[in-house]
Every structure is written in structure tokens, then in C-alpha cells.
Amino acid sequence: MSSRPPLSRRRALRILAAGVSIPLGVLALRRVRGQPQPVQWHGEALGAVAHMTLWHPDPGVAKRAMLRMQAEIARLEAVFSLHRPESELSRLNRDGRIGTPSRDLFDVFDQSRRIAEASGGAFDPTIQPLWRLYAETARSGAAPDPARLAAALRAVDHTRVSASRRAIRFDRPGMSASLNGIAQGYVTDRITDLLGNEGFENAVIELGETRALGHAPDGTAFTIGLVDPLQPHRTSRSVALADASLSVSGGYGLRFGDASRHHIFDPKTGISANRLAQVAVIAPRATLADGLSTAIYVAGESAAPALLAGHASTRAILTRADGTVLQL
Amino acid sequence: MLTATADTRGMAPRARRAPPRRDRRGFAAALRALLCLALCLLVAPGAATAQGDEAGPAPLLDRLTPNRIEVIYPGTTRLEMVEDDGPVAAAAYRGDEMVGYVFSTLDVLRAPGYSSTPFDVVAGVTLEGRITGALVLFHAEPYLLNDAPRTARLVQFLHAMEGGEARLGAETGLPPSFVAGATISARAMRNAVQEGARMVLRYRTEEIVVTEPTIDMINFKPRSPEELVADGGLVNAQITNRALQAAMRKAGLGDLLPEVPMTGGPDETYVDFVAGYANPPMIGRNGTGLEPYDTLINGMPEGTMGIFVATLGGVYDHRGTRFNNLSNDFRFDRVSITQGPRSYSFAKQDVIFTRGKVADILVLPADSGFDPMKPWRAELHAAALRPDGTRAPFVLASLDYTLPPGYILMPEPEPAPVWLEPWVEGQRDIAILLVALVALTGILALQGPLTRRRRLHRWVRNGFLAFTLVWIGWIASAQLSIVHLVNYLKAPFVDLSLAFYLAEPLIVILSIYTAISLVLLGRGVFCGWLCPFGALQELLAQAARALRLPQWNPSERLQRVLWNGKYLSLAVILVLIVIAPGAAMVAEEVEPFKTAITAKFVRGLPYVIYAVALLLIGLFTERAFCRFLCPLGGALAILDRLHLVDLLKRRPECGNPCHLCERSCPVRAIESSGKIIMAECFQCLDCQVEYYDDRRCPPLAKLRKRKEREQRQPAAAPAQAAKLGGNFA
Ligand code: SF4
Ligand code: SF4
């Protein structure tokens, strides 16, 4: 090897200049690119209004990612949609059994089983027969007939679902699963994870449930408005969300006939739960947040601390029927 | 149309089911308004609308004054025309909530009453299908004109429709007989309101999903026979006296006279006949009016089909009178229908007659084998009279009919898969990339001629690297990364649909090209030419060399150890993906691609510092990251073992005694033995430039010198050049 010339002054200066020019070049490049830009998408996922907002310095990248996420949402719809007669879930509900379920379906059944057990059945993925009964009778505006209600209740029992990777099966006739919004949580989580995987660092994903990926681009948390349960066209408060999900349960959404009959049923009585006006749960993942908020809404205030304690980094905001608020 | 459907579906649960109650004051006001309107109607019928003229009625909103709106849809705060192809209607809003529709029977049905001039009744209907009120704006009914008590009763009768169902024949608050003396008019108006409301609503709230081509039984707009002939819904034959005679001659009856005598000259119309498929309301309902059509659709067994035939003018008609004769077996013998091998003739009981017009429906039962989607032919028959008084039938006209596509609902085409969109939209980028890849293929294939020209090679190489960095990397954001590779590896296990991968055209194309080049030539094609971060490092390194910055490279032994760094980082990532996916995402950050390429350094400070540090190191040790750390490079280097072709040329002298190439390789991929470690080679071709340089490559230089000497003194051939050895660096 040829002998190295000594480190002369000129040489040292050159090295220094080169060392400085790269950071300077990087700074200049950042200038040219500017700040992350938001790109939005509005659409529908599993029958609910859906939004996604992605921030990225190159809007083209965000748009392409959005398209890919739509492809993924479409695929998940084919698994979970109750509106599609050919979805996996619809086929399971129709036949009472499905062989080699997709990993997605199995995962959701598995997670709902866990939350159902933890909540002593306050959250129950097999609530669909009740839902159907109420939807049918809602036309007349009356409460469902007690005999039919009892019959529907017999078909609601999360312990009668056997789910394995081989097959998912209902052990009683007439059972069917709605997955109770937890599927929305799953889709939300799935898309958020994919986006994180693609290198996105700031995003708000609302696919039935809300999840924030990272912070807002300015470094603060995202602010999400909570609907006022007593005046559902207004927001009562806002929640700061960063790298976390929010799920809100309240009976003011879909109603059957009169205001006390809504879509969140107590699986034990078959009657819409009305202990609390609203439950908002903040948890790391949307699937969990959804399961917990439904469970607390049904089981009531007293069950909340124990349910939350079972999971790290979860908190809840409960609104009682009289409008008073309890933060846990 | 479907968006409207979706809207109203969303509305339905919130809208009130029962018609709104009004307080007494409101009621009094409404009654006053009604009386006022009744008076207007009495005094100036037709003043409200420009009626019956060719221009058609004035726009609906112009006909609806606030008073009138208050009567037909109380509580409406705003009306907005519905912009779709359905029956004309305006959406009624209460505040921001859309609650129903307001429409006019004249727009929707153009239904006539007792007189043949269509009346105009405006009415409202809630989204649940309840009539909210009806008001007559114009009519020419003879028993109502200038009859104050009857007009008042009519106004009351229509007003009492409030709350009734939007269904033909549904019960109303008052019976039509309430308008004594004008019952027919009242019934016609009631029917028009009910039928119109149903049409207005049905078009927008019923989701019509067809899975195969289906005849349109929903859409309806008032159409005259002429309009229907123009759009093909009806076919028409206008037979003049001349044409009649021609037809008779053709049948060999030229000497005889027609059974129904001609009148007028040869150009006078003998018969004006139309035919068409009656079931679509656009044809049948327009052709026959309400009752005969209703009989066909609702009064006959499911699946019954009808052929609409009508005579619009002339002395001859398609009915005749013989269908009334027992002696003729009640045969309706002037019309027959044929379709393929089948032909259909009709008797009196197969015909639904229309009163007031020579327009009828010929009934074909569901099991008749008739297919309305296929072409058919209607024949109009006539007869000549023989001298002996017998009839000689012949075909007067024959009309070929095919239901026009406008009357057939086609299933929605399968929406194009999402992944297709970026391929279509990104055509330009795809084209640019393909051109670049073709160019690269050319460079690699023609590397011999290219590397013989040192300067050209430098330009081509740096040009391509700049393209890779700026366009592939910064502009198109198509940096292939370990994340993609991991995704591909995971694909069989994670149920991600193919669409998810296909939605990134440039990445797909680059991946395929890389895979092929990896198998053929090795890792260097991607790393040396197509990786934007690699290009960035190399361009900076060249600048550093130009600035004569000191370069440091590990010894051969140390380098062999350091090379394993990239396999290690790859292994860590792969293991983490299985055991801790969250941590794997952090580990993937060992790649500065996101920071330096996709995000163009607009990222958190730690990331930027890391990327800048790597670039700074690269100034002194070329592509240090690529050689020792890059997990994607590691993955490619492992697979490189498979490659099939070695294009890089070597000489026996390489490595022993010559080490020129070895030192010229910017990434030290050539061992001192002269062997190129292909897993570490970036196909930069620098060594090939030396290889072909007959001033630098010793064996070549020797040859060249010998040749030169031979040229100078051709005889002498000195044989001592072998001692030339290795001290030429
Ligand atoms: S080693 Fe890594 S950074 Fe270097 S060129 Fe290859 S892929 Fe790009
Ligand atoms: S100089 Fe030769 S051996 Fe070295 S990287 Fe370039 S092509 Fe490969």
C-alpha cells in the first residue's frame, strides 16, 4: 500500500468542508420538500362512514398508500361484512359453521372470546339474533314480543362458539355473530399497522373505530371530539389521542322505535343497556378499546375499574345518565 | 341514482313515520290558503301554467309558490330539484334534514282526466311513502270548470289525501264520489297522485340491483307515441294507399279491392300502426294509460308479457270488428307476432283493450316461450275481397322489433379492482421506469464496448445514478426496501390480498426486474444501479474522491468479518418479525431509506442524524452502509449465490501478479487473489474499464507496446517483457 500523505491543513479543511456540506445539503433538501401534507380519504367500511388522514411530505406517496389500504379494506369486507351475503361471517351465520376460517376471522373470534370472558359476558359477539329481532320489530315501533325475545336470547351465548384454526362453529341452532363492532376495531388496527409498516408516522384512521398513528405532525396529540350523549349533534369534550385508539359506546346512534331501544343490548336480558349514557375507552389498540367500551357500557360503572385494570394503558370516560362524568 | 338511494337510506330511520300534526292556527291558515287557491283556479284556469303548448310545463319550482308548498308539504323550509334521471321531483327539506319529495303529476305522468288535456296536481310524499298533501294547479275537466261548489269539493278531496299511502288504490280521507258530478276527474287525480308519488319514491329509495340484463320496470317518464318511435320503444309502419296496393300486388291480389276501402289519393295514409313490448312502463304505461297497463302488470299471473299495438291514424285499424264474431271464433286476426320458429295469434280474450284509443295489449302468458329480449316481428294483416265475396287475406305490413338497450337495465360492471388505478394513473411513471430499465439492460449487455471508453462509461454511470437517486428515489418514491422484501416473504402467511402488492406499480416492476437480474447476474444490478440510497452514497463518494478526501478501507481479513454485519441485521429483523413484530418495525429503521429517500429527510431529528452519519461515513469508506450493514443488501447478497452468468471479465494475470482491478474496485469486492466476490460486487464496471485499458492493464499494455515496437522494427521480437511485474501503480 502506498504511504499515506500526512494530514495537511488543506486536507483537514477539505474534510471539514465535506463533513459540513452533507448536513447543509440535507437541510436544503428539507426546505425544498417542506412539511408533511395531509391526504384524506372518505368512504365506507363495514357499513360505517370511514375516514383516513395521512400526513406525508410527498402527497403522491400518501395517495398510493391510501389506494392500497382500500384494497385491504375491501378484502376485509369480504370477511366481516354482514351486508354481504357471501362474506365469511355471513356464511358462518347462515350455516352455523365455517371450515378453515381466514386468519382475520379467527383472530377476531379469539379476541372477542377473551373480552367476553373478561367481562363475564357483558360483551358478547353472538348478539346478532337480538339485533335482528329488534330490527324486524322496529318497523311497528313496538317492543318485541316477550316470547320471541326469550327465543332470541337463547341463541345468544358466547360460550357456545368453538373457534379454532380448523373451523369456527356455533353449538346451538339459530346462533349468529355480529362481532359487535369489534370487527371494525380489527380493521382499524390492521390498516393502522400496515400504514406504520409502510413508514407513515402521522395518521388518523377512523374505520368504525378511531386510532391515531403517532402524533399530529406538529408534535402535539390529535384531538378527537366526543359526541355529547345527551345532545348527540354536539360534541361535549375532546380527547387527546397519540398512538392510541378511542372507542365510544352510546345508545344514541341507531334506535329501534323509541329512544330507550338502541343497538347495544345486554346479552343477559336482551334489552338495550341504559345504565350509562356514554362510555369512551382509550386503549392502545382499537379492537381492545371497542370490546372494553361495549362491555363497560353494558356492565355499568361498577364493573369498569376491574375491566380496565386487566389491560395496560387503558382509561375510560364514563357519562352517567344524568350527564355527570367520571374519568377512570 | 344509487347515491340518492344511499342518502335516503341513511335518512329513513330518523324521519318521522306519521305525518306531522298541525296546530289549529296552522290549520286555519292552510284552509284559508286553500280557499284562496280554489278561487284562483276557478277564475283563471290555466293561468298558473303555460299548459298544453309545445314548450311543456314551466319548471316545477316556478309553479310552487310558498303558499302552495305549505299546502302540499307543510313545514318545508327549502325545496331543491333532484338532479337525476328519475321522475321529476324536488327534495323537501326541514332545516337540514331531507324529509320527502314534492312533484307534479303533469311532469311525472302527464295523465289526462275526463278531458284529454292532462291536468296538473302537485303533491308531496314523505320518505316513508305517505302523501303529505295534494293541490290541483290546472285542469280542463269539463264538469269542474266554472263550477265553484264542485271545485271546492275537489280541493277538499285532494287535501284529504294527506297521510294516505303512496300506493295506487290506497284509501284516501274522502272517496272520489265526494266530488259529486266529477267523480271520474277526482279519481284520475287521486290515482295520478298515488302513482306519481310511488314512482318518485321508488326510483330513489328502492335499490335496484340487477345481476343480469333485466327489463327496466321502474323508470317512467311521460312519452308520446312519436317520442317512443324515435327512441325505438315502438316501431311504426305508415302505410299509404300506394303501399297498400303494392302489398296486394305482391300477394297476387293486385286486381282486387281491399276489404276496407281506401280514401283519398295514393299518398293518403291508409293505416298508421305501431307495436312494441308493453311491459316496461315507459312503453306500456305511456301507450295505454293507467288501467290497461295496470291490468297487464298487476291483474295477470306473474311473468305475463304483453305486446302493445296501436293504430294512430288512417282508415284501417288493427282491430277491425271480426274479433267480436263467434263465426270467426273471436279471433283477433289482424295482428300476429312471430319470434324465431314460434308464431302467436290472438283471440278476443287475449287482448286488453283501451277505451278511447285504438291501442291494445296482446297478452302472452309466461309459458308462451316468448323472449322479450330477443327480436320479434309484428305482422299487420288485411284482406282483399274476391268477386265472389270471399276474403283473401294478405300481409299489409311487417314490423321488426328489438327492445332497445335503453329499456334494459344492465348489471353494474364489476368495479375495476383498486390496484388497477395506480397502473392507469401512473402510466407516465411506469413508462419512464421501463425506458430506464431497458437502458440499464442495454448498458449491462453492451458493457464490453462501453467500458472500452473510459469517459463514456463515467458519464453513463453517473447519469444513471443521478436518475436513480433523483427520479426513482426522490420523485417517484420507488425505493425498494427491506420492508417490501419482508412483505413478500410474509405474503403467504398473512392473508394480504394480491391487490395490496399490485397497487404499487413501480415497486412491482422494480422487484421483478431485481429478481430476474439477481438470478442472472447477481446482486449488483440492483445495488449498483437501482437503489436510490446506494446511488446517493456512490455519488457522494465520487465527490469525496474528487476532493481527494482520505479513504479508509478495512484490511481483507477485517472486511470479511465486517461483511457479515449485513447478514446479522437481516437475521435480527427476520427473527423479530416472527417473535416481536413491533420491535421488527423499529429494527427496520436500520435502513435510512425512509428518512433519506421517501421522506427526503423530513423526519424526526434522530432519524436524520442517523442518515447523515451514514452518509458522512460513506465519504471516507465508500458505501460503508451497503457493504456492512444494509439488510436488503444482505438479503440480496445471500441470494446472489444463485446467479447464473458472470459477465465481468478476468485475465490469468488478475491477482497474480497484477492488482490493478483490485485497487480500482471502489467497494473492494476483488480479493487479492484476483477473484471477484460477486455477493459484494455492485456491477459498477470500474474494474472492466481497467481491464480494457491498454495503457493501464499490464498484460494489455505489454501487448500494445509489443505491437508498437513491431510496427517500428517489424523483425525484432524481444522476449523479455515477462519481467514487467507489478510496479506500475
Ligand atoms: S446495499 Fe442496501 S443501500 Fe446499498 S445499494 Fe444495496 S440495497 Fe441499496
Ligand atoms: S469494480 Fe468490478 S468488482 Fe468492483 S464493484 Fe465494480 S464491477 Fe464489481
Side-chain angles (χ1 to χ4, degrees), chain B residues 447 461 524 538 648 650 661-670 675-678 680-690:
Chain B
Q447 52 178 265
R461 169 108 190 115
E538 182 157 342
L648 300 180
R650 313 303 292 139
C661 291
E662 190 190 315
R663 248 159 293 155
S664 77
C665 175
V667 292
R668 299 292 184 270
I670 306 179
K675 186 172 169 247
I676 299 182
I677 311 295
M678 287 308 291
E680 301 298 331
C681 165
F682 288 76
Q683 304 270 0
C684 70
L685 307 179
D686 283 5
C687 59
Q688 300 300 293
V689 174
E690 303 286 36

Side-chain angles (χ1 to χ4, degrees), chain B residues 24 35 73 84 93 197 205 207 260 269 278 309 456 500 504 674 722:
Chain B
R24 293 191 67 84
L35 283 174
Y73 211 131
D84 59 18
Y93 286 85
T205 56
E207 201 167 353
V260 176
T269 302
V309 286
L456 179 66
F500 186 79
E504 272 186 318

Side-chain angles (χ1 to χ4, degrees), chain A residues 191-266:
Chain A
I191 296 294
T192 313
D193 292 348
L194 282 172
L195 285 170
N197 195 21
E198 300 267 307
F200 287 90
E201 290 171 341
N202 324 97
V204 179
I205 310 300
E206 300 180 82
L207 302 169
E209 305 296 340
T210 305
R211 185 159 160 199
L213 176 64
H215 294 77
D218 62 6
T220 62
F222 292 106
T223 355
I224 312 284
L226 269 193
V227 165
D228 184 339
L230 308 178
Q231 286 161 288
H233 53 279
R234 292 192 2 194
T235 52
S236 54
R237 55 175 57 236
S238 57
V239 177
L241 213 59
D243 267 326
S245 328
L246 169 73
S247 168
V248 186
S249 295
Y252 41 82
L254 184 54
R255 299 244 171 95
F256 302 112
D258 88 56
S260 68
R261 285 200 291 280
H262 54 73
H263 66 292
I264 308 180
F265 306 105
D266 185 333

